[in-house]
Amino acid sequence: MAHLDGSHHVTMSVGSAQEDVDFHVRTLGLRFIKRTVLFDGSTPIYHLYYSNAGGDPSAVLTTFPFRQAGLMGRRGTNQAREVLLAAPSGSLDYWSGRLTERGVEVADAEVLDRRRLLFRHPCGIEYALVGVDDDPRVGWTEGGVPAEYAIHGIHGIGVHVTNPENMVEFTTGSLAAKDLVEEGDRVALQVGSAARGGAVELVVNRTDDPGTWRYGEGTIHHFAWNAETLENQDELKFEIEGLGYTDISELKDRKYFKSVYVRSPGGALFELAVTHAEGGWTCDESPKELGSAFQLPEQFEDRRAELLDQLEPIDV
């Protein structure tokens, strides 16, 4: 039976490249694992990747820095809005201090009977650090964060919707979500393993206007689920189309993983991703060298000098 093994990655449109690196590497202590470019369109845009120690599926955050191109997004309802990250449950006091010291405004909250810290990316995207127990994923410690506090990976995604019913139907029927819990204006479900970032939180939002779906600074573009194998991915696509959700793409090769994209009825763009069998992150760099060089897919290699000249320099 087709299935999803939790999350794979989350991709955002952010501001400047250096601002983004500073936030994810120097503030959150994540590992910088890849610098490449956006595959779609003709405008040169970086595609930057961050993760935990192992670059695990379910621990990868990727960004498109769009400030240089001048394209702005609008946060609103009917889109993914909240990046939920998993940190050790005893680490949140440490993180509150670390974020505050680095000029990040932090709010303490209890959501779904669990403590979390609320803060924002410099471009405005909403983040939450959720305290979790017994997470087997290993945080990155070479960024200055001790092992007992280091971020494990993704906890899940928060999607703002005008009404949650269609998204509950979609996630339970197409993504095999389970364990539905309601708290106030929030409906929480679980896709695959909790230890692999499978939380989906649907937030009822009838105040904001609909947010943008295109690329644009300050917005989440898509959230990717781990389909594990190409055979399973193909079966999932077949099942989702059979339920009537036909706004779904053909297979796209993203070099490090292969992807199918589906627009959910709540507006959020979801991806079914399979890490490339021929090496994944290490197909062009050794595990120790991840993120050290500017990597390009073959179709862009003859434009390397042009792209380097046009893109913002980054100090990692």
Side-chain angles (χ1 to χ4, degrees), residues 72-117:
M72 297 297 299
R74 181 182 65 254
R75 288 186 297 280
T77 192
N78 298 335
Q79 69 176 188
R81 278 276 295 267
E82 304 171 13
V83 178
L84 312 178
L85 301 178
S89 56
S91 71
L92 296 191
D93 287 340
Y94 166 86
W95 279 109
S96 182
R98 182 180 176 92
L99 291 166
T100 301
E101 288 170 4
R102 286 160 172 77
V104 179
E105 292 187 15
V106 184
D108 212 297
E110 184 168 318
V111 180
L112 301 167
D113 297 323
R114 189 177 293 182
R115 184 185 175 195
R116 61 179 61 177
L117 299 180

Side-chain angles (χ1 to χ4, degrees), residues 1-8 57 225-238 251 257-260 271-277:
M1 182 178 178
H3 64 281
L4 290 168
D5 189 29
S7 64
H8 191 278
W225 303 99
N226 186 11
E228 292 195 293
T229 69
L230 291 175
E231 293 77 15
N232 182 60
Q233 181 191 59
D234 193 54
E235 188 174 343
L236 279 163
K237 181 177 185 293
F238 186 71
L251 184 67
F257 44 88
K258 294 187 176 182
S259 305
V260 170
E271 175 183 341
L272 313 176
V274 176
T275 300
H276 215 297

Side-chain angles (χ1 to χ4, degrees), residues 21-169:
V21 169
D22 289 345
F23 175 73
H24 286 111
V25 174
R26 295 187 171 93
T27 298
L28 296 185
L30 297 177
R31 184 181 185 185
F32 186 75
I33 63 168
K34 199 66 64 179
R35 174 172 42 168
T36 182
V37 293
L38 172 62
F39 278 29
D40 301 321
S42 58
T43 303
I45 300 292
Y46 275 130
H47 195 177
L48 309 178
Y49 293 69
Y50 311 91
S51 191
N52 63 2
D56 300 329
S58 81
V60 178
L61 281 64
T62 91
T63 61
F64 303 130
F66 263 97
R67 186 168 300 165
Q68 189 175 15
L71 191 58
M72 297 297 299
R74 181 182 65 254
R75 288 186 297 280
T77 192
N78 298 335
Q79 69 176 188
R81 278 276 295 267
E82 304 171 13
V83 178
L84 312 178
L85 301 178
S89 56
S91 71
L92 296 191
D93 287 340
Y94 166 86
W95 279 109
S96 182
R98 182 180 176 92
L99 291 166
T100 301
E101 288 170 4
R102 286 160 172 77
V104 179
E105 292 187 15
V106 184
D108 212 297
E110 184 168 318
V111 180
L112 301 167
D113 297 323
R114 189 177 293 182
R115 184 185 175 195
R116 61 179 61 177
L117 299 180
L118 311 179
F119 56 102
R120 289 179 182 264
H121 187 285
C123 74
I125 295 172
E126 298 158 66
Y127 277 57
L129 273 179
V130 182
V132 300
D133 297 310
D134 303 320
D135 192 320
R137 297 171 295 180
V138 179
W140 178 244
T141 58
E142 294 184 33
V145 178
E148 63 269 29
Y149 305 133
I151 293 170
H152 295 300
I154 295 168
H155 176 72
I157 189 70
V159 180
H160 285 217
V161 294
T162 305
N163 295 291
E165 290 82 4
N166 287 344
M167 277 296 284
V168 170
E169 184 178 62

